[in-house]
Each structure stands twice: as C-alpha cells, then as structure tokens.
Amino acid sequence: MLRTLIATHQRFGLRAPFRIARGVKTAADVITVTIRQGAQEGRGEGVPYARYGETIEGALADIAAMAPLIERGGSRMDLSAAMAAGAARNAIDNALWDLESRIAGTSVATLADRPAPGPVASAITIAIDTLEAMETAAARAAAVPLLKVKVDRDNAAAQIAAVRAAAPAPRLIVDPNESWTMAEVVALQDLLVAHRVDLLEQPLPAGADGDLAGFASRVPICADESLHTAADLDALVGRYAYVNIKLDKTGGLTEALALVDAARTKGFGLMVGCMVCSSLGIAPALLIAGGAAFVDLDGPLWLADDRAGGVVDDGGMLSPPAPGFWGTPA
C-alpha cells in the first residue's frame, strides 16, 4: 500500500475585506493535502488560524512530519493518536476520508453511516464595516433564512440595530468574536431580545467561560473559540447552550463526528461553522450540518473564485459540491 502525500499552500483572494472584532483579511490562505494511492487520490483542506497559534509554515512542517506515517498506510486513527487537533490534521484527515471513499467506490456519508448531505440554510455573514455598509449588505440578504452579524465591543448595539432594521425577517446570530466583557453581555440582554437575536456566539474571551456559570441569558449563548474537541465539553456545561463545531478546530471529520455525538449526549445544541476557506473545506462539514440548529458555512462565498464544482448558494440555501468533488463518486 504505497502512498504519496503532497501538501501545498494556496491563496484565494476575497471579493471584499472580511472584518471581525480582532482583525481583517483580504485573502484565504489554505493548506491543500493530496494523498495518492495507486490510481486514486483524496484531497483535504485546512486553514491555519493565527488565533490558535497556527501559521502556514508551521502547518506545512507538521504535515511533513506526518507524511511517513500516512505514506506507509497509517489510518485516521493513527493520525489522531500522533497529531494534535488543528488545521494541519484537518487537511490530512479529510484527504484520508476522500481517498477511502474513492477506493471503496462509495460516499464518505456511507462510510461514516451518516445521511447524505443536502441543501442547508447556511448563514450569510455581515462583516464589520461602516453602519451604512452593514445595513446595505443586510438589505441585500434580507430574504435569506439566516444572517450572522460580526460586531465589535465599541459599536455593537448600533451594528446589531442597523442589520436588523435592514433585514427584519431572517434568524440572526450575533458574533462578537470574544470582544465583550461579562458586563456587556448583561447590559445588552434587552437589546438582543428586542432585535430578536437567536444566538449569541462566543461573546467572552475563551478562558473567561466561568463568568457565564449560573447566568440565565435571555438569548442562547454558543461556544466557539472555547470548544475544539470533545475533551473540552465538560468545562462548558452550565455555561453555554450551544457549541460551534469547526473541522479546523477538531482536526478533521473524524473527531467532528465524535464531537457531535458527545455534545448531544451532554445536552448541547449544535452549530456547524467554518473559517474563510474554499469549498474543499466545506464539503466534509456538510456531513454534520444537516443535524445542526445553526449552520454557518458561507466561507467560500467570500472568495473571488472558488474551486471548480464547489458549493452553490441560492438565497441562503447552500447545496453540496458537484458529484466527485469530495467524498462522493464522480
């Protein structure tokens, strides 16, 4: 069973700057892993994230260190035992799933004993900008099922109000990206309720989760940066109502599937999210999106040009990539 593993850095320009509370990006920098075995090859993608101490160079080095294990036939379980969760493992793990499906001549959904992915209502994200620009963006998306608004600490109330005024109908996620204090979470409760916010995503810095213990939020709160793998769940019980599962945090679909089951067992509602990435990063996440209450997989929609055959958005409904793109027979 001779394999070859190739990892490359690819950059996808964005159609507009993507601003959140801690910074702005104008391109998506991803790692693409290709694993070849005989006539078959599988692909996976990861997005190294500076917030978690990851870099493109570091991810490529970590993948190179795993290449001997994978090339001599190492499994996804071997990979999980040898490598920490994160973007580098995500790219390898999902490439292995894709390769397995092609060798078996069946879909990853079948191999994982999960329903085949179908269209899902995925959030359209309104990034931080001037209030006028955010209102304009929200007005363009006013007919979608789900919106997500990125906010900061200084102008959050006005940003939420502007988006809701322009888009009164969609369900609404508010994401401060760790920029609020507990005092602000408390002070903004009335405003969140008044603007019919459905979910408040990671308002506090990861590590400050204890401040939420015993707090009866009037809007459900979701852990994002505070959750990576199933090992993190116990510390979030009684503090968060939902958890946001991202494959770049879990280190691939393998751990994400286990995290879904563990989170449900512990009573958490599910959100499935992503980094700004191409459709190759989204295709595996769609395997777990169908059972989530909130889906936020619009990363490829920010790209000026996505990979050919990728996901398609139609009015906030995201359809899976074309057959043969990832994890399905052509």
Side-chain angles (χ1 to χ4, degrees):
M1 184 195 300
L2 295 178
R3 292 176 177 164
T4 302
L5 185 153
I6 301 170
T8 59
H9 166 212
Q10 292 182 275
R11 168 167 278 203
F12 295 86
L14 304 190
R15 57 176 175 77
F18 185 81
R19 293 183 180 88
I20 66 173
R22 59 173 160 259
V24 58
K25 64 165 54 187
T26 57
D29 287 286
V30 310
I31 298 296
T32 304
V33 165
T34 302
I35 303 174
R36 298 193 177 109
Q37 182 176 323
Q40 303 295 337
E41 70 174 35
R43 299 183 302 158
E45 179 181 293
V47 182
Y49 198 40
R51 167 65 182 80
Y52 304 132
E54 298 175 327
T55 64
I56 293 293
E57 295 76 16
L60 287 171
D62 290 343
I63 291 168
M66 290 296 110
L69 171 68
I70 301 305
E71 291 183 339
R72 65 173 180 260
S75 68
R76 289 181 287 102
M77 296 301 103
D78 295 329
L79 176 68
S80 294
M83 192 178 200
R89 195 177 82 185
N90 182 35
I92 302 174
D93 182 82
N94 293 331
L96 285 171
W97 275 108
D98 191 28
L99 178 64
E100 289 171 34
S101 75
R102 295 177 191 280
I103 291 172
T106 190
S107 68
V108 169
T110 298
L111 294 176
D113 194 25
R114 303 281 167 148
V120 292
S122 177
I124 299 298
T125 301
I126 309 299
I128 294 173
D129 207 326
T130 65
L131 293 179
E132 294 77 12
M134 293 177 74
E135 187 172 359
T136 297
R140 286 197 300 263
V144 305
L146 179 63
L147 276 181
K148 175 173 175 174
V149 56
K150 297 284 191 177
V151 301
D152 53 26
R153 183 178 183 185
D154 297 329
N155 209 23
Q159 291 162 344
I160 295 166
V163 167
R164 181 48 97 193
R171 291 191 301 156
L172 184 62
I173 302 169
V174 169
D175 185 6
N177 282 109
E178 304 182 274
S179 65
W180 291 4
T181 65
M182 191 63 204
E184 286 155 344
V185 173
V186 173
L188 290 168
Q189 290 286 298
D190 286 346
L191 178 135
L192 296 173
V193 172
H195 290 298
R196 294 176 287 110
V197 172
D198 294 272
L199 194 69
L200 177 61
E201 185 180 350
Q202 194 74 45
L204 303 180
D209 307 304
D211 292 348
L212 294 169
F215 175 63
S217 179
R218 298 168 64 193
V219 171
I221 302 179
C222 178
D224 180 6
E225 286 85 352
S226 292
L227 172 81
H228 290 250
T229 68
D232 300 320
L233 287 172
D234 284 343
L236 306 181
V237 173
R239 301 172 181 183
Y240 293 94
Y242 286 80
V243 292
N244 187 357
I245 299 172
K246 294 178 179 175
L247 272 62
D248 276 308
K249 295 187 299 176
T250 66
L253 180 61
T254 301
E255 171 64 19
L257 291 168
L259 178 53
V260 165
D261 294 340
R264 284 179 172 148
T265 298
K266 293 182 182 296
F268 290 103
L270 299 182
M271 177 177 178
V272 175
C274 68
M275 307 302 184
V276 181
C277 62
S278 85
S279 286
L280 186 56
I282 298 301
L286 287 170
L287 267 292
I288 58 174
F294 296 92
V295 176
D296 177 25
L297 296 177
D298 69 339
L301 306 187
W302 284 87
L303 305 187
D305 291 293
D306 191 10
R307 299 181 194 266
V311 298
V312 176
D313 172 73
D314 183 8
M317 295 298 297
L318 194 71
S319 293
F325 180 86
W326 181 90
T328 58

